[in-house]
Amino acid sequence: MTTPKIVFVGAGSVVFTQGLLADLLAFDELKPAHIALHDIDAKRLATAHAAAVRIADTLDARPAITAHADRREALADADFVINIVQIGMGEATRTDFEIPARYGVRQTIADTLGIGGIFRALRTFPFLKELGRDIAEVCPQAWLLNYTNPMAMNVQYLTQATGLTRVVGLCHSVYWTMRDLADLVKVPYEEISYHAAGVNHQAWVLRFEHQGQNLYPKLDELIAADEQLRRRVRVDMYRRLGHYPTETSEHSSEYVPWYLHHTSEVERLRLPIGEYLKIVDENVAAYDKTRDALAAGAPITVEGTMEYAPQIIHSTVTGTPRTVYGNIPNRGLIDNLPAHGVVEVPCLVDSLGVQPTRVGSLPPQLAALNRTYLSANDLVVRAAIEDEPRHIRHAAMTDPATAATLTVEEIWRLCDDMVTAHGDRLQPGLRSRLEP
């Protein structure tokens, strides 16, 4: 695999594509790779292609760069497929916020659990089924590297509904959490050792060390001395649960029943309701800026992002061993979480690909929260696989933040409204409104 073929599905997510390409083409061994870009939006695809050419020139790389409106054509003989598709784009995301808000449901990011996560998954599953079918037929040995949220639901669906086995979900949350913690305790990131595990956006730092010494006591001292640190959800969770969560406070608040339902907690912990809608607007603005810069011949951003997909590709191609964090079906990796659930664990990567590490058991209080998360995930995946619309409502009833806010009757009406709003984006058997 001296010149791997790397396919970007959803390449019109230009800003993310830019960062991944900058990472990929910074490796000398990947400079001659074949980069195949696919998107159903012709204008965004053209922008992505122009950006890729510009980035390659800037990094003195000479990859083959091709753009494809046809997905199967792009996938043919691929070695790696990077999925960054967002079904429904900003319009669907606004629906995920606005309809639940009418019922009093507060969300910050709405892409992993809760009503937003449930319906983001349900409108993504039909696409994933088609993508999985295409990969199985035209590039069955390819690694599918998924960035599309909700990560754990999507990876579970992919592995159960399509039969693909070379699937790993990738998220930067563990890496950036550890960068932030290293900065906080004033120890260079390169000198810390850490071990984390759990589920995506709700994993836990199980070990945090410097030269064999536990850094948690130093973190405790900083938290005790700084009232503003204590006004973060993830710090509040750490103080009560004993292990630091690996996702931002905005994300972390959505997966438990303790914060968003209470105005006093929203104010105490400075939770930005609807935060992701701002990010949507910022992403559109960043895309417009890149498109306009390319049209004017002006420079564009060529900065690495330290994402895992380029590292996995480099390690698989060259045999260089690395440890990354991946989202993989459990199957004995974490003893006290369901075997069918998707967990986030350290993974060795070398010429054999991604090899997850067995963790053992999580502390019971952490496993209890993760099991609730995975229970909701499982119901959403079952709704699609079994074509059972009642499981959509069951998942919403199981979700901690939704259940803390609404009665069961309100949950059913909310799900009915969401099903109606997303309509044709859902598979046909899940589009009906239901009586209890």
Side-chain angles (χ1 to χ4, degrees):
M1 201 191 300
T2 54
T3 55
K5 182 176 181 181
I6 305 163
V7 181
F8 284 70
V9 178
S13 301
V14 172
V15 177
F16 200 30
T17 299
Q18 284 178 252
L20 289 170
L21 285 170
D23 284 340
L24 281 166
L25 298 179
F27 290 114
D28 288 339
E29 297 90 344
L30 300 181
K31 289 183 186 293
H34 177 184
I35 307 295
L37 307 171
H38 163 68
D39 203 280
I40 60 173
D41 185 316
K43 292 181 180 178
R44 279 184 169 265
L45 180 59
T47 300
H49 183 265
V53 171
R54 182 75 61 82
I55 290 168
D57 288 344
T58 302
L59 296 176
D60 195 26
R62 296 293 178 266
I65 302 174
T66 57
H68 307 265
D70 184 273
R71 184 174 62 229
R72 290 173 67 90
E73 178 184 86
L75 290 170
D77 300 319
D79 298 296
F80 303 94
V81 180
I82 300 175
N83 177 38
I84 49 178
V85 165
Q86 182 180 346
I87 301 299
M89 299 290 284
E91 175 191 354
T93 299
R94 292 190 184 282
T95 297
D96 289 343
F97 277 92
E98 290 173 357
I99 294 178
R102 295 175 201 159
Y103 284 80
V105 175
R106 293 166 169 161
Q107 299 178 103
T108 51
I109 307 296
D111 71 351
T112 301
L113 277 183
I115 296 299
I118 289 168
F119 281 88
R120 182 179 283 238
L122 291 171
R123 64 177 182 267
T124 304
F125 289 166
F127 158 76
L128 293 179
K129 191 169 187 177
E130 293 178 0
L131 177 63
R133 179 199 62 211
D134 288 350
I135 290 174
E137 292 178 2
V138 304
C139 55
Q141 296 304 307
W143 279 95
L144 174 54
L145 309 178
N146 179 68
Y147 276 103
T148 296
N149 283 320
M151 182 64 67
M153 290 190 211
N154 285 343
V155 173
Q156 182 176 343
Y157 180 82
L158 275 164
T159 55
Q160 292 185 1
T162 72
L164 294 181
T165 58
R166 292 190 166 193
V167 179
V168 58
L170 302 175
C171 177
H172 51 222
S173 61
V174 172
Y175 172 78
W176 285 112
T177 291
M178 300 318 300
R179 295 286 313 203
D180 291 346
L181 284 176
D183 289 345
L184 196 58
V185 299
K186 295 182 171 54
V187 175
Y189 171 78
E190 294 73 19
E191 295 182 16
I192 68 169
S193 300
Y194 59 89
H195 183 59
V199 294
N200 182 237
H201 291 173
Q202 198 187 63
W204 315 95
V205 181
L206 303 176
R207 295 177 63 185
F208 177 35
E209 299 177 357
H210 179 236
Q211 298 178 348
Q213 297 297 311
N214 184 7
L215 286 171
Y216 266 138
K218 189 169 185 178
L219 178 62
D220 293 340
E221 293 175 5
L222 292 169
I223 292 170
D226 188 340
E227 180 186 0
Q228 296 309 307
L229 271 180
R230 298 194 297 274
R231 295 184 66 196
R232 297 183 186 177
V233 164
R234 63 199 313 194
V235 170
D236 193 74
M237 291 178 67
Y238 161 59
R239 294 174 67 204
R240 300 173 193 279
L241 297 169
H243 293 274
Y244 202 79
T246 62
E247 192 42 90
T248 63
S249 292
E250 290 81 5
H251 275 285
S252 295
S253 67
E254 291 189 306
Y255 316 142
V256 294
W258 315 316
Y259 301 115
L260 287 170
H261 179 55
H262 305 283
T263 299
S264 60
E265 291 295 84
V266 170
E267 294 172 354
R268 177 175 75 92
L269 298 167
R270 301 170 295 185
L271 285 168
I273 307 303
E275 176 70 8
Y276 194 71
L277 293 177
K278 300 176 186 175
I279 297 172
V280 170
D281 292 338
E282 290 168 0
N283 287 341
V284 171
Y287 166 76
D288 290 344
K289 183 178 179 180
T290 296
R291 179 200 59 205
D292 295 345
L294 289 166
I300 64 170
T301 300
V302 184
E303 294 180 358
T305 55
M306 297 301 293
E307 287 289 350
Y308 287 139
Q311 298 178 54
I312 288 172
I313 293 169
H314 182 261
S315 288
T316 306
V317 170
T318 66
T320 304
R322 284 186 175 85
T323 297
V324 303
Y325 277 79
N327 292 272
I328 302 279
N330 189 11
R331 297 171 187 161
L333 298 173
I334 299 179
D335 292 336
N336 49 354
L337 294 183
H340 59 264
V342 169
V343 295
E344 190 165 69
V345 296
C347 300
L348 167 68
V349 191
D350 58 19
S351 59
L352 298 177
V354 180
Q355 303 151 67
T357 301
R358 186 176 183 280
V359 172
S361 291
L362 294 177
Q365 71 276 19
L366 309 182
L369 290 177
N370 286 170
R371 281 196 295 269
T372 300
Y373 174 119
L374 291 177
S375 293
N377 282 5
D378 189 53
L379 286 163
V380 178
V381 173
R382 285 176 180 273
I385 290 177
E386 299 173 10
D387 215 27
E388 175 49 84
R390 294 177 72 87
H391 282 333
I392 301 174
R393 285 77 178 169
H394 299 155
M397 291 166 64
T398 303
D399 174 68
T402 306
T405 307
L406 302 181
T407 66
V408 286
E409 178 60 29
E410 290 169 333
I411 289 171
W412 278 63
R413 292 205 311 269
L414 170 56
C415 288
D416 280 350
D417 288 351
M418 292 291 285
V419 164
T420 299
H422 284 299
D424 292 345
R425 296 190 181 102
L426 308 181
Q427 65 193 58
L430 301 183
R431 296 174 189 171
S432 58
R433 302 173 72 90
L434 293 180
E435 292 295 327

